[in-house]
């Protein structure tokens, strides 16, 4: 179970809206969704929490690149929503390193059709590759821990959050009442 909300900072204060991430496949999609929540290019925060296992903050300021903080990269990597946030750049990897060979058809057949034995071997290799990729994801926080500093929430406070982190963040920002309207 996850919870995701958008908090848009306006001249009148924070405005909250809940959001479904089912149609969001990339960080760009998520940033576009955030930008749609604030046509005046105000600061928009996307707050995501997955079963108290991890939380993420994505900050979008106008057309600037999103700033991201994830409380536990290893836990987030096991979530389809977390995978959206865990970009190669955030994890310190070269873009596409793991995907180049996966995209090629190397089974030796003209049409890419392999017999059952080769399919089983490919599945085993894919599982080993996925396990290797999971090991490359660090346990603990990744990203910009200063993402909320100028809004009144320090890096130290952000790193120490657990449990209902989204609620704690909203409270620190003075947005807990508007967040509760969408929970």
């Amino acid at each position: 179970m996850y919870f995701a909300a958008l908090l848009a900072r306006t001249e009148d204060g924070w405005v909250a809206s809940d959001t479904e991430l089912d149609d969001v496949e990339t960080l760009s999609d998520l940033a576009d969704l955030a930008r749609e929540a604030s046509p005046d290019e105000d600061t928009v925060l996307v707050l995501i929490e997955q079963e108290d296992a991890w939380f993420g903050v994505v900050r979008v300021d106008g057309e600037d690149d999103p700033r991201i903080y994830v409380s536990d990269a290893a836990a987030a990597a096991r979530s389809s929503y977390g995978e959206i946030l865990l970009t190669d750049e955030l994890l310190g990897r070269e873009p596409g390193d793991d995907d180049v060979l996966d995209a090629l058809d190397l089974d030796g057949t003209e049409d890419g059709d392999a017999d059952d034995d080769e399919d089983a071997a490919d599945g085993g290799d894919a599982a080993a590759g996925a396990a290797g990729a999971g090991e490359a994801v660090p346990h603990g926080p990744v990203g910009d821990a200063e993402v909320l500093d100028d809004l009144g929430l320090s890096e130290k406070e952000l790193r120490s959050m657990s449990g209902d982190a989204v609620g704690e963040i909203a409270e620190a920002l003075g947005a807990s009442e508007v967040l509760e309207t969408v929970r």
Side-chain angles (χ1 to χ4, degrees):
M1 189 75 174
Y2 78 95
F3 173 73
L6 297 173
L7 285 178
R9 187 174 176 194
T10 68
E11 291 177 8
D12 300 325
W14 290 99
V15 176
S17 58
D18 64 341
T19 186
E20 285 294 323
L21 300 179
D22 295 339
D23 295 330
V24 174
E25 295 180 6
T26 66
L27 182 58
S28 283
D29 293 344
L30 187 60
D32 290 343
L33 183 69
R35 288 183 184 105
E36 290 171 11
S38 179
D40 295 330
E41 296 191 7
D42 294 317
T43 296
V44 178
L45 303 176
V46 181
L47 304 175
I48 302 172
E49 188 173 62
Q50 179 94 28
E51 297 178 7
D52 296 332
W54 66 274
F55 69 92
V57 177
V58 178
R59 178 176 177 162
V60 178
D61 294 300
E63 292 300 317
D64 292 347
D65 287 340
R67 295 171 56 193
I68 306 164
Y69 174 80
V70 176
S71 67
D72 186 338
R78 294 186 294 270
S79 160
S80 59
Y81 302 113
E83 288 177 350
I84 293 168
L85 306 181
L86 297 175
T87 63
D88 287 334
E89 181 180 343
L90 189 70
L91 297 173
R93 297 190 297 217
E94 289 296 319
D97 276 352
D98 298 334
D99 299 332
V100 174
L101 289 177
D102 292 340
L104 298 175
D105 181 16
L106 301 176
D107 68 1
T109 61
E110 186 174 350
D111 296 325
D113 294 330
D115 63 40
D116 292 339
D117 293 339
E118 287 174 338
D119 283 343
D122 288 346
D125 291 343
E135 292 170 2
V137 177
H139 290 276
V142 294
D144 184 355
E146 298 175 350
V147 68
L148 301 173
D149 271 0
D150 64 323
L151 299 175
L153 188 66
S154 73
E155 173 182 355
K156 182 179 178 182
E157 292 170 311
L158 187 62
R159 287 185 185 271
S160 68
M161 290 185 173
S162 63
D164 181 21
V166 168
E168 291 178 41
I169 290 169
E171 185 174 326
L173 300 176
S176 57
E177 287 184 24
V178 294
L179 180 68
E180 287 305 313
T181 65
V182 298
R183 270 204 179 201

